[in-house]
Amino acid sequence: MLLGASLLGVLLFSKLVLKLPWTQVGFSVLLLYLGSGGWRFIRIFIKTIRRDIFGGLVLLKVKTKLRRYLRERRTVPMLFASMVQRHPDKTALIFEGTDTHWTFRQLDDYSSSVANFLQARGLASGDVVALFMENRNEFVGLWLGMAKLGVEAALINTNLRRDALRHCLTTSRARALVFGSELAPAVCEIHASLDPSLSLLCSGPWDPCSMPIGTEHLDPLLDKAPKHLPSHPNKGFTDKLFYIYTSGTTGLPKAAIVVHSRYYRMAALVYYGFRMRPDDIVYDCLPLYHSAGNIVGMGQCLLHGMTVVIRKKFSASRFWDDCIKYNCTIVQYIGELCRYLLNQPPREAETQHRVRMAIGNGLRQSIWTDFTSRFHIPQVAEFYGATECNCSLGNFDSQVGACGFNSRILSFVYPIRLVRVNEDTMELIRGPDGVCIPCQPGQPGQLVGRIIQQDPLRRFDGYLNQGTNNNKIAQDVFKKGDQAYLTGDVLVMDELGYLYFRDRTGDTFRWKGENVSTTEVEGTLSHLLDMADVAVYGVEVPGTEGRAGMAAVASPASSCDLERFAQALEKELPLYARPIFLRFLPQLHKTGTYKFQKTELRKEGFDLALVKDPLFYLDSRKGRYVPLDQEAYTRIQAGEEKL
């Protein structure tokens, strides 16, 4: 602003006082501009203008379609119907586990039978049905069929057990639970505490002896159901489609609301931004209960007519063989997945595929080039965006290490910003006017996105529990009186506007592609350890993505049976949430509000040179915690110990 005022002053003085001709006035202004650092702007302009124009056109295209579908009250099932009409006999889904191929017509028929069956059972628009099932074609057909009726699916993480699973079913207010037969034992564990009115339906191989009492076999019931399209529910583009459960600061999983427009926005931005094509074949080995697998991946099938190959679970040894077998051109990843592939011994299949793009998030800059060069992948489509966020980012030009960008010359087009925060507390730092202070290039800050509820690109749909939304919304961020979504993530922007993920801070950390809630893990551990004080935090481990869980326990190590403790954890927590490291110490320091002070604990980590307390680590081969000695520490630092 000061530079602009100076340039205007020189222009007026040169013309009105000195009465110089316009050529000399222009020359004077240009000299002042360049002399005060304006040459940087020219450099930035030249290097980023093509990227920014392309990004702006993508935003304009998606926003135009969003407004049109909003006006026409379209829904995801309606958009899918146009794909069925366009190519009914094209392969829509392939399940690698059984080599089952479904055409668009078959997917349409199956989902319609789901809708008609549920309608016959008395379910109607606005009701909720929980879906607890591993990856397969039926998973997609089930939630799509529910959406045709206006029923909202609650997509349950298949790793959840006991209290967390019960919590998800209870808070969703589901009238029915559809589960895969492979997860029957998990349902049996909580069956006695479930609402008796909850209908139980099982899909998959049927063994009545292993099912909870009262469970019905869904598959033969769907075979008998009509396959005609049910009447359209009274739902529009901004109405609820389904819920995806995330781990947040409240401890137990919370249901993020996904409306039809959000599903379209997330799928369309990556489709147009990364230049996908209708004839692409996507290899989707990510969980379908997450937005990456079910929206970014599966959305390309339902909304853009692409074929998607579904794998039950990621397999590093079979990854490239699958890509060759099914002629995949796009693969999905999370950062940890890429590291697993690089750790595999070289084989011919890894360079004989037709993959032209890898799309996902979390690919570290340190292995980015190794990944693309070894596996001959021309384009890495790295993006950033949580299920509920309104400030998604995309690295449209494969800038190594970046998760996206924001224009330095047209920043107002996409109202996101990095703002200064206290990185320990994530408290926003504000200026004298009470407005958040924006970060300069090179300064780490929390990513925020301005909320404009009338704009499908900027709206915030939040969580099923409305009270949870307050933690994710801040006031007076860009200007007085506005609202913004808080991601809780710290990023850094370079001079050209490229954004780089720095850390996931606050009450969660990321490990093995999952968000881990420290509050939830602390509660579970404290219960298992006779209510001892427990502080859980993430620590960096060389050569791994995210942060490994570490628990500091205020109790002597001799008082804990670590073998029984590990066995109990297997029942209480999913694999990704179990602490890798344990530290036993006399007491934990707390703040005045009884919050654990974790800053020093994080800094010390599991470094034997800094920590004199007893340390243990989870030996994956033995399945129990063993003492962390110098030999084990050296193996972990060298990446030779599997965690």
Side-chain angles (χ1 to χ4, degrees):
M1 185 176 292
L2 182 60
L3 176 60
S6 301
L7 293 174
L8 180 61
V10 169
L11 187 149
L12 294 175
F13 181 78
S14 300
K15 188 63 183 173
L16 300 180
V17 179
L18 300 180
K19 301 188 182 300
L20 296 175
W22 279 112
T23 53
Q24 293 184 26
V25 171
F27 187 68
S28 301
V29 171
L30 179 61
L31 282 177
L32 176 61
Y33 179 69
L34 295 176
S36 57
W39 60 271
R40 290 196 186 93
F41 177 84
I42 296 175
R43 175 178 171 274
I44 292 170
F45 181 89
I46 294 172
K47 284 182 169 288
T48 63
I49 187 61
R50 289 183 61 184
R51 178 200 69 183
D52 292 356
I53 289 176
F54 174 75
L57 291 174
V58 169
L59 277 177
L60 181 62
K61 188 180 188 74
V62 173
K63 195 166 187 175
T64 300
K65 286 178 174 286
L66 283 168
R67 285 179 172 171
R68 174 188 159 197
Y69 296 152
L70 182 63
R71 185 172 62 252
E72 296 174 352
R73 289 180 59 80
R74 295 291 190 97
T75 61
V76 168
M78 290 180 183
L79 297 174
F80 170 69
S82 65
M83 291 297 109
V84 177
Q85 189 174 16
R86 186 175 303 174
H87 33 57
D89 298 318
K90 179 181 177 180
T91 300
L93 303 176
I94 302 173
F95 178 50
E96 176 277 333
T98 57
D99 201 36
T100 303
H101 291 57
W102 280 12
T103 64
F104 279 85
R105 192 199 312 272
Q106 288 173 308
L107 176 56
D108 188 42
D109 287 346
Y110 181 88
S111 57
S112 292
S113 68
V114 171
N116 288 310
F117 166 76
L118 293 177
Q119 188 174 47
R121 288 296 180 100
L123 277 86
S125 180
D127 287 332
V128 177
V129 172
L131 182 55
F132 188 48
M133 180 183 291
E134 291 182 343
N135 285 11
R136 53 179 176 267
N137 293 356
E138 287 80 2
F139 186 103
V140 183
L142 284 163
W143 75 253
L144 181 60
M146 296 174 197
K148 285 184 174 182
L149 186 62
V151 169
E152 299 149 14
L155 310 181
I156 310 294
N157 186 324
T158 55
N159 290 297
L160 298 180
R161 296 293 183 272
R162 297 193 176 186
D163 287 348
L165 177 57
R166 187 185 302 108
H167 166 81
C168 290
L169 294 173
T170 303
T171 56
S172 70
R173 298 181 181 176
R175 290 188 55 188
L177 167 62
V178 177
F179 63 94
S181 55
E182 69 279 4
L183 293 169
V187 179
C188 286
E189 285 184 336
I190 63 170
H191 179 243
S193 61
L194 295 178
D195 188 330
S197 66
L198 181 72
S199 300
L200 299 179
L201 299 161
C202 176
S203 175
W206 180 251
D207 178 12
C209 298
S210 63
M211 296 294 156
I213 297 173
T215 302
E216 296 180 84
H217 192 198
L218 179 62
D219 299 341
L221 298 174
L222 293 181
D223 290 339
K224 299 174 185 177
K227 292 180 172 53
H228 63 79
L229 184 68
S231 57
H232 292 301
N234 184 27
K235 284 207 169 189
F237 207 41
T238 56
D239 287 319
K240 296 173 185 174
L241 174 60
F242 54 57
Y243 307 107
I244 288 181
Y245 282 84
T246 63
S247 293
T249 56
T250 55
L252 289 168
K254 52 189 178 183
I257 298 170
V258 178
V259 299
H260 294 263
S261 63
R262 177 170 293 275
Y263 190 97
Y264 177 82
R265 174 178 68 81
M266 292 178 70
L269 282 173
V270 298
Y271 179 81
Y272 294 113
F274 294 120
R275 300 177 176 90
M276 294 180 176
R277 302 189 291 256
D279 61 347
D280 276 320
I281 300 175
V282 179
Y283 184 65
D284 189 348
C285 57
L286 304 182
L288 293 178
Y289 56 75
H290 270 182
S291 55
N294 201 3
I295 304 179
V296 175
M298 196 53 60
Q300 309 315 324
C301 168
L302 303 182
L303 303 178
H304 300 117
M306 291 159 61
T307 299
V308 175
V309 179
I310 301 173
R311 203 181 207 285
K312 180 180 175 182
K313 290 182 179 178
F314 165 71
S315 168
S317 61
R318 294 293 306 167
F319 190 90
W320 299 114
D321 294 324
D322 289 345
C323 291
I324 293 171
K325 180 179 179 179
Y326 297 110
N327 293 313
C328 298
T329 57
I330 298 175
V331 295
Q332 287 191 264
Y333 70 85
I334 56 172
E336 198 75 352
L337 183 152
C338 300
R339 187 174 63 83
Y340 294 152
L341 291 174
L342 283 170
N343 285 342
Q344 288 287 301
R347 44 200 303 262
E348 289 185 12
E350 67 187 37
T351 58
Q352 295 176 342
H353 55 78
R354 295 178 56 234
V355 174
R356 67 178 185 85
M357 181 194 305
I359 182 170
N361 52 66
L363 179 55
R364 285 189 181 233
Q365 190 167 357
S366 58
I367 65 169
W368 187 299
T369 303
D370 291 340
F371 179 76
T372 55
S373 59
R374 173 176 166 179
F375 301 123
H376 297 186
I377 298 179
Q379 181 184 2
V380 172
E382 176 85 4
F383 66 88
Y384 169 92
T387 303
E388 66 275 29
C389 87
N390 71 339
C391 45
S392 302
L393 304 170
N395 182 355
F396 294 160
D397 53 358
S398 295
Q399 173 74 11
V400 175
C403 61
F405 73 94
N406 195 30
S407 174
R408 294 292 312 283
I409 55 179
L410 300 170
S411 57
F412 60 89
V413 173
Y414 195 50
I416 66 169
R417 181 176 289 177
L418 298 184
V419 296
R420 292 178 59 186
V421 293
N422 179 317
E423 288 190 51
D424 282 333
T425 64
M426 292 304 290
E427 182 181 356
L428 300 171
I429 299 175
R430 299 178 181 272
D433 58 355
V435 176
C436 292
I437 301 174
C439 295
Q440 298 301 312
Q443 287 183 328
Q446 181 176 181
L447 177 66
V448 298
R450 181 183 292 168
I451 297 173
I452 305 173
Q453 211 61 18
Q454 296 76 25
D455 183 346
L457 273 176
R458 311 271 15 108
R459 62 180 286 134
F460 173 64
D461 300 298
Y463 304 95
L464 187 59
N465 179 359
Q466 292 298 312
T468 308
N469 294 337
N470 297 332
N471 298 326
K472 303 298 290 185
I473 299 176
Q475 315 291 330
D476 305 332
V477 176
F478 291 77
K479 63 180 182 179
K480 279 287 188 181
D482 69 1
Q483 288 187 322
Y485 168 78
L486 304 174
T487 64
D489 290 334
V490 174
L491 282 70
V492 178
M493 182 176 66
D494 68 15
E495 187 181 38
L496 300 180
Y498 288 106
L499 291 154
Y500 302 84
F501 185 87
R502 172 162 169 169
D503 205 1
R504 186 177 300 274
T505 55
D507 289 316
T508 63
F509 60 90
R510 198 163 180 83
W511 179 246
K512 295 189 180 299
E514 299 278 358
N515 290 340
V516 181
S517 166
T518 60
T519 309
E520 178 186 358
V521 180
E522 284 167 355
T524 300
L525 267 59
S526 181
H527 176 73
L528 294 175
L529 296 170
D530 297 323
M531 304 309 292
D533 280 345
V534 179
V536 174
Y537 45 97
V539 294
E540 292 184 348
V541 179
T544 64
E545 303 291 339
R547 292 174 181 266
M550 185 165 184
V553 182
S555 174
S558 58
S559 67
C560 179
D561 184 336
L562 291 177
E563 188 164 347
R564 290 183 60 186
F565 176 68
Q567 292 172 354
L569 279 184
E570 287 183 7
K571 295 181 179 180
E572 296 295 336
L573 290 174
L575 180 63
Y576 63 83
R578 297 169 202 162
I580 302 298
F581 301 100
L582 295 178
R583 175 181 178 178
F584 291 88
L585 66 174
Q587 64 176 359
L588 288 171
H589 298 290
K590 303 174 185 176
T591 66
T593 54
Y594 300 97
K595 294 180 180 178
F596 295 123
Q597 294 179 330
K598 301 180 183 180
T599 304
E600 287 302 314
L601 294 172
R602 288 195 194 99
K603 289 179 181 178
E604 293 171 354
F606 57 98
D607 190 339
L608 293 176
L610 300 176
V611 180
K612 303 307 176 185
D613 302 311
L615 291 175
F616 299 82
Y617 77 101
L618 184 60
D619 189 319
S620 60
R621 291 168 298 181
K622 298 178 181 178
R624 66 174 187 269
Y625 289 95
V626 298
L628 180 66
D629 55 22
Q630 188 60 52
E631 183 180 346
Y633 179 81
T634 302
R635 290 199 308 272
I636 293 171
Q637 291 295 106
E640 298 170 357
E641 185 75 28
K642 183 181 179 182
L643 299 177

